[in-house]
Amino acid sequence: MHKNDDASATEQDPAFGGPLAGVRVLDLTSVLMGPFASQNLGDMGADVIKIEAPQGDLVRQIGPARHDGMGPVFLNANRNKRSVVLDLKSHDGMAALHKLIADADVLVYNVRPQAMARLGLGYEAVKALNPRIIYAGLFGYGQDGPYAARPAYDDLIQGACALPHLIAKASGGIPRYVPNALCDRIVGLTGVGAILASLLARERTGQGDRIDIPMFETMVAFIMGDHMGGLTFDPPLDGGGYARQLSPQRRPYRTQDGYICALVYNDKQWQGFLREIGREALMRDDERFASYAQRTQHIDHVYDVLAGIFEERTTDEWIAILERADVPFMPMHSLQSLMQDPHLVATDFFTDVMHPTEGAIKSPRNPVTWTNRKPAPPRPVPTLGQHTAEVLRELGYSESQVQAMVNAAANATTSTA
């Protein structure tokens, strides 16, 4: 694996630097899916070099910002990276990229493979420069099917893997997208796992690899793991779907003064819950509540009865009752109240960082912790091209060459503006 100056420092203290200290990741991704994946690798200690076109990653422009190109979506998907601007349409820009490829452990991209091939960066070409490289692509569709060359975005994949259909079944007939880039983030994390597995295999065998992580197939597996239902069998036993998840009554419960999220699930929880509210007879007298199997079969009725019960008391009263009954519950947060959740406050989940150009910013940290290989303090999210000169010097370019390439990238930015 690549040994840079930061990694050498961490080798003196093996408990500091993160589990991927010494791994160099060449990040050719943009927007969200790929950057989220590479940020996770950076959080684990990898040296992530983000290659940006002269105009920068499009996501830099999303949302409110204090300065151009430093919007909140970008700030929350690109920490622990170094930004290098290269004009890959120029000979010098591509030559610099080739040098970076030769010294990288991982190359990750999220455009269509056909676009990489047109740039001369298909797997075989990259492998010729670095046979040990892990070449990881996150893109729309598997390359052996008819959708192979199609572009893909989160909304499209949500629709294709039946999420809006499921939402419509569960909530009144109107199909909607999940209000989150769910596919980008799930597929990004799937890519992280695949990259880590390939790095481990390379340590054992010495061989690099090409990894394809298609959005469509990944999300179909993710969704249908819950919803195959009777379609699991041949011939099918039903039309598929997990009844409890699809119940229109499966939602936060309204209380006298708000909402609460609670799940009365197994027999012990039901017995404790009904005892606390003085309705123990319900499980004995109504067979629809008598067992897990019966409740599952009559889930719409069960949830409807619960909804009526929860409207009888305030949220604080229910919190006390659910705690005594040992029934799982959580608040129904807004975006603002979530950031004040006492557990997240106690665990310092939303970190306060003084960014060198953006001032005070707040970000969710990586939720994973390591006992024996702690990551170094996070590297601030880079401004566009912040590390271009630094990385070019590491590649052995002279000061005059560095300045010429920096100027060429700036001129390319102007010409595309």
Side-chain angles (χ1 to χ4, degrees):
M1 293 186 182
H2 179 83
K3 304 297 182 184
N4 57 35
D5 293 339
D6 291 339
S8 298
T10 62
E11 287 175 355
Q12 299 171 17
D13 180 2
F16 193 72
L20 291 184
V23 173
R24 173 163 285 181
V25 176
L26 191 54
D27 179 7
L28 272 66
T29 71
S30 61
V31 190
L32 185 56
M33 176 170 60
F36 180 63
S38 56
Q39 175 176 268
N40 274 269
L41 298 173
D43 287 348
M44 297 179 198
D47 175 24
V48 180
I49 299 176
K50 180 180 178 71
I51 305 301
E52 297 193 64
Q55 63 270 29
D57 190 332
L58 177 66
V59 170
R60 285 182 176 273
Q61 307 302 325
I62 295 177
R66 291 172 178 157
H67 298 96
D68 184 54
M70 295 297 280
V73 177
F74 184 84
L75 288 171
N76 285 296
N78 287 281
R79 66 174 171 258
N80 286 321
K81 302 181 185 182
R82 296 193 283 172
S83 172
V84 173
V85 170
L86 293 177
D87 180 6
L88 298 185
K89 296 177 182 178
S90 72
H91 176 272
D92 289 343
M94 187 59 76
L97 181 65
H98 284 180
K99 287 190 175 186
L100 286 166
I101 289 171
D103 200 32
D105 296 292
V106 178
L107 183 152
V108 57
Y109 69 94
N110 68 337
V111 296
R112 285 171 279 179
Q114 294 78 9
M116 291 292 283
R118 286 194 296 271
L119 285 169
L121 297 172
Y123 176 57
E124 293 302 324
V126 168
K127 181 181 177 182
L129 296 168
N130 182 349
R132 285 172 49 84
I133 202 163
I134 306 301
Y135 180 90
L138 299 99
F139 43 79
Y141 309 95
Q143 293 301 289
D144 53 358
Y147 299 165
R150 284 190 180 184
Y153 289 90
D154 192 283
D155 289 1
L156 307 183
I157 299 301
Q158 284 197 34
C161 71
L163 267 174
H165 165 77
L166 294 170
I167 290 170
K169 288 191 69 172
S171 60
I174 300 175
R176 298 185 185 279
Y177 300 124
V178 176
N180 177 270
L182 191 73
C183 302
D184 282 340
R185 295 185 184 278
I186 289 169
V187 178
L189 289 177
T190 302
V192 170
I195 289 167
L196 296 179
S198 289
L199 284 170
L200 176 60
R202 192 187 68 180
E203 288 300 291
R204 293 171 171 171
T205 67
Q207 293 182 330
D209 204 353
R210 167 182 168 169
I211 316 169
D212 289 358
I213 307 106
M215 296 177 73
F216 184 38
E217 288 92 326
T218 299
M219 288 306 303
V220 169
F222 186 87
I223 299 300
M224 294 301 280
D226 283 2
H227 289 287
M228 282 291 291
L231 297 174
T232 302
F233 305 96
D234 189 10
L237 301 182
D238 61 28
Y242 183 178
R244 188 184 74 81
Q245 291 184 2
L246 291 173
S247 172
Q249 303 297 331
R250 179 180 176 252
R251 55 193 178 194
Y253 294 111
R254 184 188 293 276
T255 67
Q256 283 186 353
D257 60 352
Y259 289 88
I260 192 167
C261 304
L263 185 60
V264 193
Y265 194 64
N266 59 36
D267 287 348
K268 180 181 177 182
Q269 290 164 359
W270 271 98
Q271 291 160 1
F273 176 75
L274 294 174
R275 183 173 58 250
E276 287 293 334
I277 63 173
R279 298 185 64 170
E280 299 98 320
L282 187 61
M283 287 183 74
R284 182 180 66 249
D285 297 341
D286 189 336
E287 66 177 14
R288 292 171 295 185
F289 289 83
S291 68
Y292 178 82
Q294 285 292 328
R295 292 190 299 272
T296 299
Q297 186 175 345
H298 301 283
I299 194 64
D300 287 350
H301 174 72
V302 169
Y303 277 165
D304 189 48
V305 170
L306 277 175
I309 291 173
F310 273 95
E311 288 183 350
E312 297 172 357
R313 292 174 169 84
T314 67
T315 300
D316 285 344
E317 287 175 320
W318 279 119
I319 288 173
I321 289 170
L322 296 169
E323 285 182 333
R324 291 197 302 269
D326 196 25
V327 170
F329 72 93
M330 283 295 283
M332 190 190 82
H333 277 307
S334 68
L335 296 177
Q336 292 80 14
S337 68
L338 177 60
M339 297 186 71
Q340 304 304 319
D341 182 276
H343 180 86
L344 297 179
V345 170
T347 58
D348 293 323
F349 183 73
F350 289 102
T351 58
D352 294 302
V353 177
M354 187 58 66
H355 191 279
T357 64
E358 303 313 298
I361 63 173
K362 191 181 292 286
S363 298
R365 63 170 172 80
N366 191 304
V368 180
T369 59
W370 288 265
T371 299
N372 296 321
R373 194 71 180 178
K374 296 179 178 65
R379 184 190 292 270
V381 177
T383 56
L384 178 61
Q386 178 180 339
H387 303 96
T388 303
E390 173 183 296
V391 171
L392 290 175
R393 292 187 192 104
E394 290 175 5
L395 293 175
Y397 285 96
S398 68
E399 285 302 317
S400 61
Q401 290 173 314
V402 168
Q403 195 57 53
M405 292 181 70
V406 169
N407 291 341
N411 291 335
T413 305
T414 303
S415 67
T416 57

